[in-house]
Amino acid sequence: MNNLVTCLAVEHSHSAIAAALFVSLIGGALTISLTTRVRQAPRSQSWLWLLLAGLVGGMTAWCTHFIAMLGYDVGLPHNYDPLLTFLSLGSVIVTTTVGIFIIGNAGRSLLVEAGGAVVSLGVVLMHFIGMSGYDVPGYLVWSTPYIIACLISGMVFGMLAFSTLVRMRFRYHGLAAALLLTVSIVCVHFVSIAGLTFVPDGSIILPNSGLQTQTMVFFTIQGSGMVVVLGLSLLLLDIKNRENVRSEVRRASVHDALTGLPNRTAMGEELARLISEKGAGGIQFALAFLDVRGFKGLNDVRGHAAGDFVLSSVAARLRGSLPAGVFAARTGNDEFAILIPDLQHRGDVQRLLRRVIQEVARPASWSGQQFVVRLDAGIAVFPDDGQVSDELVARADAALLRAKRTRDVTFYDAGVDHGERRLNALALDLRRAFEDGEFQLYYQQQHLTGDRSIFGFEVLLRWFHRDYGFIPPDEFIPLAERTGFIHVLGEWVLRQAAADAVTWKNPFQVGVNVAPEQLADPNLAQIVGAVLKETGLPPERLELEITESGIVDDFHRALASIEAVKALGVKVAMDDFGTGYSSLTTLQQFPFDKIKIDRSFVAGLPHDELSAAICRSTVIISKSLGIRVLAEGVETEEQLAFLQREGCPRAQGYYFGRPKPRSEIEDLVNG
Ligand code: C2E
Ligand code: CA
Ligand code: CA
């Protein structure tokens, strides 16, 4: 220990120690960084990094050693044998390269430490080769314990250095590895030199061919300079290169590959930026979502290539028609977003979007096909409609949903669109509600106007929602149609109603409403047939109520369904007569058994002349076509008297009774 202190404090010049430390620190750090590159770079590049790491690492150890030797005062004349001196340099470059090669391919195995051991053993080897070229008029006497200590400390720190680099994950683990490597290099030199004694021997003559101190100073400065410059410049290049790659990756990650427009991520960032920028000044801006009308159908029918063409052409036209400063992005499959900053008037936004939509709708041709692309647009305005991103996005979405119906550029409207959101929530809740038994059948009696006796009941579905309470069928039936759940629901209504009706003592008729979606189902007749068979309800007691909209949607399929149902012996009624746009034509073309005059006409009776005329003529038509007729929505004695007078034999409405649950019609059906 004494020797080590003397060796450092007395025998070595302090400036040499400082210089040696400086070089080994810089070189150690570079070697560690380069080793990381060897491990991370793709195979094609890693060997280049390996050569560099070996060169820099080896040079570092060699320069450290010789700078220290230059500052070492032996008190005797000395020079350096050129062959051994350069052999020591060559050997350490080779061993360091081999060691780092092992580490580079070690993964996380113990080979990492093995590689570290090779690197430090190489340094030890270099040290002794170098020292054997250190010529003095005398002998060098080494102390074995110091040599062992030199070997152990060099290896332990060397192994620890690379182990830390690979296995540790704390913030400055790279720096710690570099320090450990430096300690390893420095230990090898100073620990072994501390145990070194020179025994002068006058008979030994210093060879003339030896390198003089000045030459060695030159070499070590050259070498150190090279280590620093080479390593640093390559690392800087690499860092720059990585930055480029990173920005390229970033560019790709915020751009949509098909259209080249910014993507949803970029839109989110731009929106956040605008909010923080405009928020402070209280300036308005608009977020618009645009959606290609019927895109899914187009994609399915004309193919994905056509779909891609349409999206690219929309993007190009958006880009071409939007003023500078307006941000456009593709945020979803066929969804685009536009951010319009510095908004003065809502009218301006509307005009701008209408113009853009018109531009996009110009016919475009692609591989012999013509495309006319229509966009729907929904807008939310900051800060009125929302002050945070999520809110604005949700509201622009809600506005877009409505725009698809209104077919015009649509602003978010809290009153309307909030309701829309509730509807969406309900649509998603249908199946759960059904399974939880929240649906129930109600029955409304139907009477003959003559003796006012009951001849049948209409089945009306009710939804008692656990949170929202009663939800009117006019609200949830369209939702069930939209989601397709109507098929489950409709079949259940039919089965329940039939099962119920067979238990009645009085064989009243049961009217069941059939939604347009159900009518379009080619299996409708099969389902009805199965239900009749299961429940044992005579077919003539069942009447299906169909609205005109169900027929208009798909004329041929509707006709086929109706005929198949009628073939079972089931009756078919035309519901809401008079509200469709060609009720008379429909009546002619379809084999209906009954007409139900819509309640809106009955409501005007007897004073409103038009209502009276419609009711009167409907009765006449039904008689001439031989079809039964019923008036819906009869609420007063006056209305009933009018209908009776005009020869309408059947009626239904609050006047006779409101729709009631099964339990409340017990007396009527069994009495
Ligand atoms: P709808 O088929 O025209 O049913 C008659 C509607 O008029 C019922 O409304 C009934 O409660 C109401 N109503 C009856 N008498 C009067 C009256 O005197 N005055 C007034 N103002 N209204 C009267 P509800 O139950 O709200 O049903 C609305 C619509 O929902 C039905 O119109 C029907 O189209 C549909 N719907 C109801 N249940 C079902 C069902 O099970 N399946 C299908 N597909 N649709 C159903
Ligand atoms: Ca009905
Ligand atoms: Ca009706």
Side-chain angles (χ1 to χ4, degrees):
M1 198 60 208
N2 248 343
N3 282 353
L4 187 59
V5 175
T6 328
C7 163
L8 281 170
V10 183
E11 292 164 356
H12 282 83
S13 92
H14 293 172
S15 54
I17 293 178
L21 268 180
F22 176 74
V23 169
S24 66
L25 255 178
I26 299 284
L30 282 174
T31 309
I32 290 296
S33 308
L34 291 168
T35 307
T36 311
R37 299 294 191 281
V38 175
R39 287 174 58 86
Q40 290 173 353
R43 261 202 188 279
S44 59
Q45 285 167 23
S46 75
W47 66 269
L48 241 171
W49 290 113
L50 174 64
L51 289 186
L52 200 65
L55 189 67
V56 168
M59 291 283 272
T60 301
W62 188 81
C63 288
T64 305
H65 169 75
F66 280 94
I67 291 171
M69 282 314 290
L70 289 170
Y72 183 64
D73 181 15
V74 251
L76 292 168
H78 55 270
N79 61 26
Y80 302 83
D81 178 83
L83 187 69
L84 289 170
T85 299
F86 287 108
L87 181 64
S88 70
L89 175 61
S91 78
V92 77
I93 289 175
V94 170
T95 51
T96 309
T97 308
V98 171
I100 294 178
F101 172 79
I102 295 171
I103 296 163
N105 294 287
R108 307 188 127 258
S109 71
L110 279 177
L111 283 176
V112 171
E113 283 74 17
V118 171
V119 170
S120 9
L121 277 176
V123 175
V124 174
L125 186 67
M126 178 274 300
H127 177 77
F128 287 105
I129 296 176
M131 285 311 287
S132 63
Y134 188 74
D135 291 329
V136 284
Y139 304 102
L140 276 60
V141 180
W142 296 96
S143 134
T144 315
Y146 276 90
I147 290 182
I148 293 172
C150 144
L151 202 67
I152 291 176
S153 59
M155 272 184 45
V156 167
F157 285 114
M159 285 158 72
L160 272 179
F162 291 101
S163 182
T164 303
L165 176 68
V166 174
R167 304 194 198 285
M168 297 296 164
R169 275 293 155 262
F170 57 93
R171 183 138 182 231
Y172 294 111
H173 74 285
L175 188 65
L179 282 174
L180 286 165
L181 186 61
T182 304
V183 171
S184 159
I185 294 171
V186 168
C187 274
V188 170
H189 178 84
F190 290 101
V191 173
S192 68
I193 297 288
L196 174 65
T197 330
F198 288 94
V199 181
D201 181 344
S203 67
I204 296 174
I205 300 155
L206 218 53
N208 275 338
S209 58
L211 300 169
Q212 298 304 305
T213 303
Q214 296 96 307
T215 322
M216 282 310 291
V217 167
F218 173 78
F219 279 132
T220 49
I221 289 179
Q222 288 284 313
S224 319
M226 201 185 98
V227 166
V228 175
V229 173
L230 192 72
L232 265 188
S233 51
L234 274 155
L235 275 179
L236 285 179
L237 257 177
D238 188 49
I239 288 167
K240 182 88 202 108
N241 193 22
R242 282 180 182 216
E243 265 169 20
N244 288 345
V245 169
R246 222 170 281 148
S247 74
E248 189 48 45
V249 168
R250 208 193 117 59
R251 212 198 77 81
S253 74
V254 295
H255 278 80
D256 160 50
L258 175 67
T259 61
L261 282 180
N263 63 13
R264 179 171 275 276
T265 312
M267 194 279 291
E269 286 172 3
E270 180 64 12
L271 182 58
R273 195 187 65 76
L274 275 179
I275 288 174
S276 71
E277 186 187 302
K278 309 282 177 187
I283 303 169
Q284 292 197 320
F285 71 85
L287 166 66
F289 280 140
L290 299 97
D291 196 287
V292 179
R293 208 176 283 167
F295 182 76
K296 200 185 163 307
L298 178 137
N299 226 6
D300 290 348
V301 175
R302 301 223 217 168
H304 287 277
D308 285 355
F309 163 75
V310 163
L311 294 174
S312 310
S313 102
V314 169
R317 288 177 179 187
L318 282 183
R319 246 193 240 111
S321 56
L322 287 170
V326 171
F327 178 92
R330 180 180 172 213
T331 47
N333 188 26
D334 61 331
E335 191 181 272
F336 296 83
I338 291 178
L339 280 163
I340 303 155
D342 303 323
L343 171 68
Q344 301 290 332
H345 303 289
R346 284 173 176 242
D348 296 341
V349 175
Q350 200 162 28
R351 265 190 297 281
L352 171 70
L353 285 176
R354 282 195 183 134
R355 212 186 58 227
V356 168
I357 288 173
Q358 232 168 29
E359 171 63 21
V360 169
R362 275 194 303 112
S365 41
W366 174 79
S367 69
Q369 305 180 59
Q370 275 258 325
F371 293 88
V372 175
V373 183
R374 300 199 188 281
L375 298 178
D376 291 308
I379 309 163
V381 174
F382 173 89
D384 300 359
D385 299 335
Q387 278 147 35
V388 293
S389 295
D390 289 353
E391 213 173 3
L392 272 174
V393 166
R395 303 220 149 145
D397 250 339
L400 175 60
L401 203 66
R402 194 152 45 85
K404 289 181 189 173
R405 275 211 322 273
T406 61
R407 306 243 143 155
D408 191 13
V409 173
T410 303
F411 282 95
Y412 174 74
D413 178 326
V416 183
D417 292 324
H418 184 76
E420 198 109 356
R421 277 233 297 280
R422 183 182 100 123
L423 287 186
N424 278 330
L426 284 181
L428 295 174
D429 208 25
L430 281 166
R431 183 173 296 275
R432 183 214 48 85
F434 179 71
E435 279 159 10
D436 286 358
E438 288 179 5
F439 289 99
Q440 213 184 320
L441 297 192
Y442 270 47
Y443 294 86
Q444 186 177 33
Q445 61 220 62
Q446 298 171 324
H447 289 250
L448 294 174
T449 53
D451 62 3
R452 308 217 168 161
S453 62
I454 295 178
F455 71 90
F457 286 86
E458 178 179 0
V459 179
L460 294 157
L461 188 56
R462 295 289 176 261
W463 181 3
F464 298 96
H465 192 282
R466 60 175 181 192
D467 299 326
Y468 302 117
F470 174 72
I471 297 168
D474 287 331
E475 216 172 280
F476 71 78
I477 295 284
L479 295 181
E481 288 203 71
R482 209 169 74 199
T483 58
F485 194 63
I486 191 70
H487 296 288
V488 176
L489 209 52
E491 189 176 333
W492 178 79
V493 170
L494 189 67
R495 182 166 284 116
Q496 287 290 111
D500 213 359
V502 277
T503 66
W504 300 344
K505 232 200 276 150
N506 303 321
F508 294 136
Q509 213 177 35
V510 266
V512 174
N513 292 287
V514 171
E517 273 296 314
Q518 290 174 273
L519 199 60
D521 181 356
N523 295 323
L524 179 67
Q526 204 186 323
I527 294 168
V528 173
V531 167
L532 290 176
K533 209 167 143 203
E534 255 171 59
T535 57
L537 182 74
E540 63 281 1
R541 283 186 59 196
L542 180 64
E543 184 169 73
L544 300 185
E545 301 190 0
I546 293 159
T547 59
E548 204 184 327
S549 57
I551 292 163
V552 177
D553 283 353
D554 190 336
F555 184 92
H556 295 287
R557 200 179 276 183
L559 187 58
S561 271
I562 290 173
E563 279 173 345
V565 166
K566 278 188 63 97
L568 296 169
V570 172
K571 304 239 167 5
V572 179
M574 183 176 182
D575 207 351
D576 304 344
F577 184 80
T579 58
Y581 64 99
S582 60
S583 300
L584 285 178
T585 322
T586 312
L587 204 54
Q588 255 187 338
Q589 291 166 328
F590 285 81
F592 286 112
D593 300 287
K594 189 190 276 171
I595 301 172
K596 295 186 81 177
I597 303 174
D598 190 67
R599 62 179 183 268
S600 60
F601 304 116
V602 175
L605 297 179
H607 307 295
D608 181 62
E609 284 180 20
L610 187 63
S611 298
I614 290 174
C615 290
R616 197 176 290 130
S617 47
T618 308
V619 172
I620 294 170
I621 290 165
S622 72
K623 280 191 176 141
S624 68
L625 290 175
I627 302 173
R628 293 175 192 162
V629 62
L630 175 146
E632 284 188 320
V634 177
E635 296 185 355
T636 63
E637 176 64 46
E638 243 185 333
Q639 291 168 343
L640 183 61
F642 176 93
L643 290 163
Q644 211 176 351
R645 227 178 17 252
E646 294 302 329
C648 178
R650 295 169 196 82
Q652 172 186 352
Y654 294 170
Y655 176 78
F656 296 109
R658 295 194 172 240
K660 297 182 194 82
R662 171 71 179 85
S663 57
E664 288 178 31
I665 56 161
E666 200 67 36
D667 298 348
L668 300 178
V669 296
N670 292 323

